Amino acid sequence: MVETIVRGGTTGDRPGSNYDPAAVEARWLARWAEDRLYHVDDATDRPNWFALTMYPYPSGILHMGHWYAFSIPDAFARYKRMRGYNVMFPMGFDAFGLPAENAAIRNNIHPAIWTEDNIATMRIQFQAMGTMIDWDRQVASCDPEFYRWNQWFFLRMLERGLAYRSNGAVWWCPNDQTVLANEQVLDGNVCERCGSEVIRRDLEQWYLRITDYAEELLREAEHLDWPDRVKTMQRNWIGRSEGARLRFALAGGQAGDEPLEVFTTHPETVWGATFMVLAPEHPAVVTLTSAERRTEIDAYVERAKNETEIERASLDESRPKTGVFTGGHAVNPVTGELIPVWIADYVLMGYGTGAIMAVPAHDARDFAFARAHGLPVRPVIQPDGADPLDGGSMPGPYLGPGTMVNSGPIDGLRMPDQMAAVLDWVECNGRGHREVTYRLRDWLISRQRYWGTPIPVIYCQDCGIVPVPDADLPVILPLDAEFTPTGQSPLVSNEAFVSVPCPACGGPGRRETDTMDTFVDSSWYWYRYTSPHLDIAPFDAALVAAWTPVNLYCGGIEHAILHLLYARFWTKVMRDLRLIDHGEPFLRLRNQGMILSAEGTKMSKSRGSQVGPDELVSAHGADALRLHLMYLGPWDQGGPWNDRGITGMERFIRRAYQVVEDGAKVTPTADADRGGEAAIRRLTHQTIAKVTADMEAYQVNTMVAALIEFANALFAGRRGEVAATAAWREAVETLVLLMAPSTPFVAEEMWSMLGNTDSVHTRDWPEANQDFLRVTEVEIVVQVNGKVRDRVVAEPGADEAAAVTLAMASDRVRTAVAGKAPKRVVYVPGKLVNLVV
RNA sequence: GCGGACGUGGCGGAAUGGCAGACGCAGCGGUCUUAAACACCGCAGAGGCGACUCGUGCGGGUUCGAAUCCCGCCGUCCGUACCA
């Protein structure tokens, strides 16, 4: 695409030899601070644009992953600013959490001090990266002026029944000595924070009722401009299943016994239900178990309790289906048959009702269980055109479509097409009702750790759970705590914190000592950027209305479920509290890929495989590093780190710098045709179009390629005749403007070299002018039978006949055609002609 | 097992139905230099002296034309997992 302009001479000097990255960066950092260039006003005559990037944990130092995650969104934000928006690109710190405690224990330094020091360091590093962050808006979640609003939200949820305390089996990390949310348990049994194996414990804990929003979270995700894989992951995590709840009465005539309820997605197969299976923890197990089975059942329940979770982590489908008969029976609600009730660990208490009707003929797990324990198999769905299925001899379950058999009134119905008729029958005959079940569990937010938001409730012997009155917020996290993990919150031993009068009756009360999951902080932090120091509400409603929902949210794919699901839930709760008017926080989401070590493994502090940006910045400059990260490959793909290419980025910057330096010396003459002007103008506007399109699509690698091509062409022609024209001047200015989002420091320097006294970052983005894109001739590819044989030059509007004539004038084409008449001609105007002979 | 993404030179990658390998790195040749580094100018998928032939994981298909669409396989990565 690059046309040869005019070849200039060479000097032998290194291009851009006057460019000193360190000096340029220092100069403009000082100047920008002085001019408050990145201060964001809430109301301007421009539309607001909220560019958000997931706030980092203040781990102490910015590594390459941070540069990848922040410098590229910074370029997007700068681009939007040049496109005429009033852009807010704020930053904060996810400052509560375990690493601070662990560092505190290791280094004998208080988490608050450690965190504060790290934030100070990282702020400076962020500035060195050349970001347009407005630091006046910084928030830190460990700041009482922030976390008091966590407490305030919690109280609002408590009032609405969205926060509740419940006893049950929870995930416990023995290393971190705290409970975890379901979402924080990876691979079935691994702690998301520390990688230890987690275990099950029975504890009373605080939950947030995210399941109330399951349907809405599922439904509204469809319309978001988010990567499909994130939406898919959320959909699977929420895990919606449609089916029916059926009631199975207990046999034995105990009148007071509640029937067993099951959830099934296949109610049509109830005629084939030949036994039932309960989860070992199911409350009915005790009453169902007959005296002679008791010992065996108790042993199984005990074993399941201790082993299941660990075993389940390594299980596969071939794992033997163990289980024990309770000695009790239930009544199949449609056949009236007595069917045995078993317990087995393949039935989970946490899903559905913790009990299933087993239909071995049409379910893989039930089939394996039936064969292992000699239970009857009764087919009720007959595949088309096959011999009748036989329960005794069928080699495996039949899972496909077919016609109902052995099923009384629903015999002959087609499955799955006529499922609705089955559900109608079930409901009309009082056997059960339609039901939708979700895999999503409520969000467990209690943590038995120190460095987090205190949960604002007080326990009173007489009044029970009493919320801390709003007027008493924040409940300050005391700094004088002994925070070594013991399995109990470190606050338990802090008598001054714990012992308080009951707000209701004034009697002796004890404060809740657990703290909140840090995902609470990150569920609403971005709203706080709009009014970071407001002390009468979590945020200013008018400012939030002016800035949110977020226009573009950038961050790592690892938050696809955890943070992004919680944040959506919190937003919907805030909407229902009438604090905001929208239910989805992030209109558009883009994920960066992960930067891996050179070996392709995850970079980690412990393995020492993290790469620091400092040496590269001092050797090549922050701008070169920013470009290098953009140029590594598609941003959403990430990939193994290497620093080999950064020299090329520095070369590019130096050439651009040289072009500007030379260009600044020339006074453009009035337009006169010097032979290269039309070409340089076309290239300028082609580049504008390409860079703009790539920026809109977040394709920064190809955007940089276009900048390099443009700079190379200008470099080659910089000392030729054309360099004295107005077209040239426009080209040079355009190059600087197009580079501004990506290389903010050197672009600013070059802009001032061109005699400007304002900041390039406040300038308007150039616009591609169609008039300059017009070409005088086009190259048409000539194919014979689909193989390229030649290229011919034609007029831009050449029709098929003209193209064929030109094509046939070529010797190579004539040789390939070998005198035969074309059977068919395919012509793509201005691009390609294919002669089929 | 299920769901999703991906597979292109020595390397990162570009091209999403129309010239495969843009751009960059590394490499090679030349210029400059006492020499080197830097820089600049050029070369560069493989084979062939050449006209040409072959070439985007493998096998098939659709199409005038396929890296791109479809079917089957192989491999890598990510997510998820006894979800009734």
Side-chain angles (χ1 to χ4, degrees):
Chain A
M1 118 178 202
V2 176
E3 297 165 65
T4 304
I5 316 296
V6 176
R7 296 279 170 212
T10 60
T11 61
D13 290 338
R14 187 184 196 200
S17 53
N18 293 325
Y19 167 57
D20 175 0
V24 166
E25 287 162 26
R27 174 157 61 247
W28 291 108
L29 274 181
R31 178 68 182 279
W32 290 338
E34 197 181 305
D35 293 350
R36 286 172 54 79
L37 184 64
Y38 301 125
H39 171 76
V40 179
D41 281 324
D42 290 308
T44 65
D45 52 359
R46 302 169 150 222
N48 285 347
W49 174 272
F50 193 168
L52 182 67
T53 294
M54 293 179 188
Y55 69 166
Y57 182 79
S59 52
I61 193 158
L62 289 189
H63 54 70
M64 209 56 81
H66 287 117
W67 274 68
Y68 200 56
F70 296 111
S71 67
I72 295 173
D74 177 68
F76 298 150
R78 288 176 176 280
Y79 165 73
K80 275 291 169 188
R81 179 174 179 168
M82 294 178 78
R83 288 304 298 259
Y85 291 93
N86 182 37
V87 176
M88 172 164 64
F89 184 62
M91 197 53 62
F93 293 93
D94 184 14
F96 269 141
L98 282 175
E101 281 186 65
N102 294 337
I105 293 157
R106 215 171 34 245
N107 307 325
N108 196 29
I109 177 174
H110 196 280
I113 309 279
W114 185 83
T115 304
E116 205 177 298
D117 288 352
N118 287 350
I119 289 175
T121 310
M122 289 170 79
R123 257 179 77 143
I124 292 165
Q125 294 178 322
F126 263 112
Q127 284 160 22
M129 198 191 286
T131 53
M132 57 172 280
I133 294 166
D134 178 1
W135 288 104
D136 293 345
R137 293 173 181 269
Q138 177 190 306
V139 303
S141 55
C142 64
D143 192 335
E145 88 174 358
F146 179 87
Y147 71 67
R148 77 176 281 185
W149 302 109
N150 286 344
Q151 297 171 339
W152 184 87
F153 280 122
F154 177 87
L155 294 174
R156 301 292 82 77
M157 292 199 206
L158 191 59
E159 287 163 3
R160 301 192 145 222
L162 287 172
Y164 67 96
R165 203 161 158 78
S166 172
N167 207 347
V170 297
W171 294 110
W172 176 266
C173 175
N175 180 52
D176 291 336
Q177 294 274 311
T178 183
V179 300
L180 299 170
N182 283 352
E183 289 79 7
Q184 287 172 299
V185 178
L186 311 176
D187 301 333
N189 72 335
V190 174
C191 170
E192 179 249 346
R193 285 247 70 117
C194 71
S196 311
E197 269 193 16
V198 296
I199 57 172
R200 281 305 230 188
R201 284 186 63 175
D202 271 325
L203 287 172
E204 192 172 279
Q205 301 286 301
W206 284 101
Y207 292 85
L208 300 184
R209 221 176 276 284
I210 190 172
T211 53
D212 273 12
Y213 290 84
E215 187 61 36
E216 209 188 331
L217 287 166
L218 192 68
R219 204 178 51 235
E220 291 186 355
E222 298 305 320
H223 313 296
L224 297 172
D225 179 8
W226 286 22
D228 282 339
R229 62 173 174 158
V230 175
K231 293 203 268 190
T232 303
M233 280 163 73
Q234 293 218 346
R235 190 162 52 239
N236 292 341
W237 187 262
I238 295 167
R240 183 182 201 271
S241 294
E242 273 181 33
R245 183 179 283 245
L246 302 178
R247 276 183 299 279
F248 285 64
L250 294 180
Q254 295 135 299
D257 285 344
E258 292 285 316
L260 286 174
E261 299 210 320
V262 302
F263 171 75
T264 175
T265 52
H266 287 283
E268 80 281 12
T269 61
V270 62
W271 275 269
T274 51
F275 58 99
M276 294 186 76
V277 188
L278 307 185
E281 314 92 301
H282 196 287
V285 171
V286 183
T287 45
L288 265 167
T289 304
S290 61
E292 65 271 23
R293 313 284 316 162
R294 175 126 359 243
T295 320
E296 214 182 330
I297 287 285
D298 286 350
Y300 189 85
V301 170
E302 193 55 34
R303 213 191 75 202
K305 194 185 255 173
N306 294 330
E307 293 179 1
T308 42
E309 302 305 342
I310 293 149
E311 282 181 13
R312 279 173 189 181
S314 60
L315 61 74
D316 55 81
E317 234 113 275
S318 61
R319 180 173 180 233
K321 292 278 179 288
T322 63
V324 182
F325 176 43
T326 61
H329 288 81
V331 182
N332 183 313
V334 294
T335 64
E337 275 177 299
L338 283 189
I339 57 174
V341 181
W342 288 61
I343 64 170
D345 62 7
Y346 82 87
V347 176
L348 309 173
M349 197 58 219
Y351 184 77
T353 64
I356 61 158
M357 64 173 201
V359 185
H362 303 292
D363 179 276
R365 293 150 304 172
D366 297 347
F367 185 87
F369 193 83
R371 287 288 189 253
H373 301 283
L375 292 157
V377 177
R378 183 188 301 152
V380 292
I381 299 176
Q382 177 60 36
D384 296 332
D387 292 337
L389 293 176
D390 174 61
S393 64
M394 57 197 288
Y398 177 68
L399 307 172
T403 305
M404 297 309 305
V405 294
N406 303 323
S407 297
I410 67 164
D411 267 359
L413 289 187
R414 298 278 312 147
M415 283 302 141
D417 308 346
Q418 292 179 283
M419 183 70 83
V422 175
L423 289 161
D424 289 343
W425 186 92
V426 165
E427 290 187 334
C428 291
N429 292 277
R431 304 305 206 280
H433 54 86
R434 285 176 163 85
E435 187 166 271
V436 174
T437 295
Y438 301 90
R439 204 188 84 107
L440 182 69
R441 302 267 77 84
D442 277 339
W443 175 15
L444 194 171
I445 59 155
S446 306
R447 295 293 179 275
Q448 290 70 46
R449 293 297 299 240
Y450 165 67
W451 193 232
T453 305
I455 295 174
V457 299
I458 291 164
Y459 300 99
C460 168
Q461 216 152 35
D462 298 325
C463 313
I465 296 174
V466 183
V468 172
D470 282 1
D472 294 350
L473 297 184
V475 176
I476 297 273
L477 181 69
L479 292 180
D480 59 341
E482 179 53 56
F483 43 78
T484 315
T486 59
Q488 276 195 318
S489 167
L491 296 175
V492 171
S493 55
N494 191 315
E495 199 50 34
F497 176 79
V498 173
S499 256
V500 284
C502 167
C505 69
R510 295 185 67 74
R511 255 189 222 289
E512 168 68 69
T513 52
D514 283 354
T515 52
M516 293 183 198
D517 183 2
T518 55
F519 279 106
V520 167
D521 314 336
S522 55
S523 290
W524 68 279
Y525 72 100
W526 64 96
Y527 288 96
R528 188 72 184 167
Y529 288 135
T530 60
S531 41
H533 306 297
L534 189 69
D535 62 359
I536 53 165
F539 43 76
D540 181 305
L543 292 177
V544 157
W547 283 109
T548 64
V550 171
N551 298 90
L552 173 66
Y553 197 27
C554 294
I557 185 73
E558 67 274 17
H559 291 110
I561 293 172
L562 285 153
H563 161 55
L564 290 172
L565 195 63
Y566 296 146
R568 294 181 59 218
F569 159 65
W570 207 276
T571 301
K572 291 174 194 309
V573 171
M574 291 193 291
R575 177 205 56 200
D576 292 347
L577 291 168
R578 299 183 183 283
L579 296 170
I580 54 177
D581 61 2
H582 54 273
E584 285 291 342
F586 315 122
L587 298 178
R588 175 174 291 176
L589 175 74
R590 290 295 179 272
N591 300 113
Q592 79 271 11
M594 210 183 307
I595 292 291
L596 305 170
S597 73
E599 295 76 43
T601 56
K602 226 174 171 175
M603 282 201 193
S604 86
K605 229 178 186 172
S606 55
R607 273 195 296 265
S609 56
Q610 277 185 347
V611 183
D614 294 354
E615 292 108 88
L616 292 172
V617 170
S618 46
H620 306 280
D623 288 322
L625 181 53
R626 287 172 64 114
L627 281 177
H628 177 59
L629 288 164
M630 289 182 172
Y631 202 54
L632 275 177
W635 186 58
D636 59 359
Q637 226 169 274
W641 166 254
N642 76 75
D643 57 15
R644 286 196 306 276
I646 196 170
T647 53
M649 298 304 109
E650 193 190 340
R651 279 178 202 146
F652 156 60
I653 291 171
R654 287 186 183 279
R655 284 181 192 154
Y657 188 96
Q658 191 64 54
V659 166
V660 171
E661 208 175 20
D662 291 344
K665 292 177 194 150
V666 176
T667 313
T669 56
D671 267 1
D673 187 11
R674 288 168 192 268
E677 280 186 86
I680 198 68
R681 210 157 233 151
R682 183 154 57 243
L683 178 60
T684 300
H685 287 262
Q686 276 172 351
T687 305
I688 294 169
K690 170 69 175 158
V691 169
T692 304
D694 281 350
M695 269 301 201
E696 291 291 335
Y698 311 104
Q699 283 166 10
V700 284
N701 55 332
T702 49
M703 180 212 62
V704 174
L707 289 176
I708 294 172
E709 279 190 76
F710 188 35
N712 285 347
L714 295 183
F715 184 75
R718 74 190 188 281
R719 291 184 184 164
E721 282 252 291
V722 72
T725 62
W728 186 266
R729 176 72 183 195
E730 184 198 347
V732 173
E733 284 180 0
T734 300
L735 175 65
V736 176
L737 288 165
L738 294 180
M739 286 175 71
S742 313
T743 56
F745 292 111
V746 71
E748 192 77 298
E749 178 77 5
M750 293 188 293
W751 192 244
S752 90
M753 285 159 68
L754 289 171
N756 297 292
T757 52
D758 60 348
S759 168
V760 69
H761 302 298
T762 60
R763 282 295 178 119
D764 286 341
W765 189 252
E767 208 147 326
N769 185 333
Q770 295 303 315
D771 293 340
F772 295 132
L773 294 176
R774 230 171 265 138
V775 290
T776 51
E777 55 186 39
V778 292
E779 193 179 70
I780 294 178
V781 173
V782 184
Q783 295 183 336
V784 178
N785 291 333
K787 280 193 197 316
V788 178
R789 294 298 170 182
D790 207 352
R791 296 162 184 90
V792 296
V793 173
E795 309 238 312
D799 63 6
E800 182 177 312
V804 171
T805 308
L806 283 166
M808 292 308 292
S810 152
D811 290 343
R812 289 159 71 186
V813 172
R814 275 202 308 274
T815 311
V817 171
K820 283 172 260 178
K823 263 198 306 215
R824 184 176 167 189
V825 176
V826 179
Y827 180 56
V828 182
K831 277 178 117 175
L832 174 140
V833 62
N834 186 13
L835 307 172
V836 186
V837 299

